[in-house]
Amino acid sequence: MPNASDPTRTDDVSGQPGPLAEGGRPLTAGVAMLATAVAVVSVLVGGLLAAVALTGHVFGAWRSPESITPGLIGAAMLGTAPGLFAVSRARAWHEVRSLVHPLAVVLVGLFGVSLLNAGQLYVARGGSIVPVLFSLGWLFVLGALCVCALVALAWQYLVPARPLGPRGAPLPGWSKPALAVLGSAWLGIGTGLLVRPGFWAGFVPWSVDRPDAQALGVWALALGVGVLGALAEDDLGRTGPALIALPGTAVAVSVVLACRAATVDWSSGPALCLVPMVAGLLLAGLSGRVLLARSSAVRPPRNPAAEG
């Protein structure tokens, strides 16, 4: 097992040799356990929602006009799970906060949306036993995870912090404008869908109702926070889990969009904008991993004896 004092240890949670994580706050057990728990739930629930949507059936905590919306929510959950599993392998808070902050946005946002639209949940409207029980479990699990997220983040920020060391793998200058545009696009659309779903739902290229629009808005907002958070970090070595989650989410969402393509109005402007936005997530994640691997390959190993 690597020792924290070993200068040759691997710090990048994606498995690539990375820059030594110096300073900052050590990662607390609460954040690591939260990320792992959410990852397990995401695989089970997200996989279920995505699989049912691929068959063309509508299934979720509330009745959606089209199967594509719960399918996309499930795909986003499924795609981020590998990145969340990687959080537990990190040692410092600054290595994972670009993914944990969006995670908190998703948990708090989806729980808030579920409460605001509680009258449309199956547990309130009634129906067959399976969706009623699913909506009840959805509300209970989201509420529990939301409380755990707030407690874990508060605990994390109470840990004393040391000054951070220099950035080991800064973002290349050419990538920053593209990341700023990509993150702002997701952030703006997500905010609009969440705050004014009645107006912004008309820009979604398939049929959605209020809870659908707001749930999609929460995920879009979280993606924007994640991309802009990685831009603010300005260090590929501090975005390991996010670099895993971004391409995973893009691939899972693309599969659902491709399989339910008949329900999407591809001739509309929003649909044409959605394609490069999803592709941007994939390219950002893959290019980040490639650049991080190259940066690690050219970085000379530290020699404590020579430094002394």
Side-chain angles (χ1 to χ4, degrees):
M1 183 175 179
N3 190 296
S5 63
D6 182 7
T8 63
R9 68 186 176 91
T10 296
D11 287 293
D12 177 24
V13 295
S14 66
Q16 301 289 341
L20 190 66
E22 297 177 345
R25 291 180 170 88
L27 185 68
T28 61
V31 171
M33 293 172 62
L34 171 71
T36 301
V38 176
V40 172
V41 172
S42 296
V43 170
L44 298 176
V45 178
L48 175 63
L49 292 176
V52 173
L54 293 181
T55 67
H57 294 85
V58 178
F59 180 74
W62 56 83
R63 177 173 291 279
S64 301
E66 300 282 355
S67 62
I68 187 171
T69 297
L72 289 175
I73 294 173
M77 296 171 67
L78 198 59
T80 56
L84 293 174
F85 279 122
V87 169
S88 62
R89 300 200 299 270
R91 294 172 174 81
W93 166 239
H94 60 266
E95 296 175 342
V96 303
R97 59 189 176 193
S98 59
L99 181 59
V100 176
H101 284 149
L103 171 63
V105 170
V106 169
L107 293 176
V108 175
L110 285 182
F111 184 59
V113 166
S114 299
L115 291 180
L116 289 173
N117 299 280
Q120 299 192 45
L121 297 178
Y122 280 108
V123 69
R125 298 181 58 181
S128 59
I129 187 64
V130 174
V132 168
L133 290 178
F134 179 83
S135 66
L136 181 61
W138 171 274
L139 199 60
F140 176 78
V141 173
L142 264 182
L145 291 176
C146 180
V147 172
C148 290
L150 296 177
V151 172
L153 284 177
W155 179 16
Q156 178 66 67
Y157 278 106
L158 289 176
V159 175
R162 294 174 296 167
L164 281 173
R167 290 178 170 85
L171 296 175
W174 57 263
S175 69
K176 295 179 181 180
L179 288 176
V181 171
L182 180 65
S184 298
W186 282 109
L187 186 72
I189 291 173
T191 303
L193 287 170
L194 188 59
V195 176
R196 295 193 61 191
F199 174 78
W200 284 90
F203 292 93
V204 179
W206 59 84
S207 298
V208 294
D209 56 12
R210 180 183 177 87
D212 278 352
Q214 290 187 312
L216 291 174
V218 168
W219 272 104
L221 182 65
L223 288 172
V225 169
V227 173
L228 294 178
L231 180 62
E233 294 288 353
D234 193 18
D235 190 345
L236 294 169
R238 300 179 186 176
T239 58
L243 293 179
I244 298 173
L246 282 181
T249 301
V251 169
V253 166
S254 297
V255 170
V256 173
L257 287 173
C259 292
R260 305 307 306 157
T263 64
V264 181
D265 181 10
W266 293 108
S267 62
S268 65
L272 297 178
C273 293
L274 180 62
V275 174
M277 289 174 64
V278 174
L281 297 177
L282 179 63
L283 292 175
L286 293 180
S287 62
R289 290 174 63 82
V290 170
L291 290 171
L292 179 59
R294 289 180 178 177
S295 175
S296 302
V298 301
R299 186 182 302 112
R302 289 181 56 184
N303 188 339
E307 291 177 1

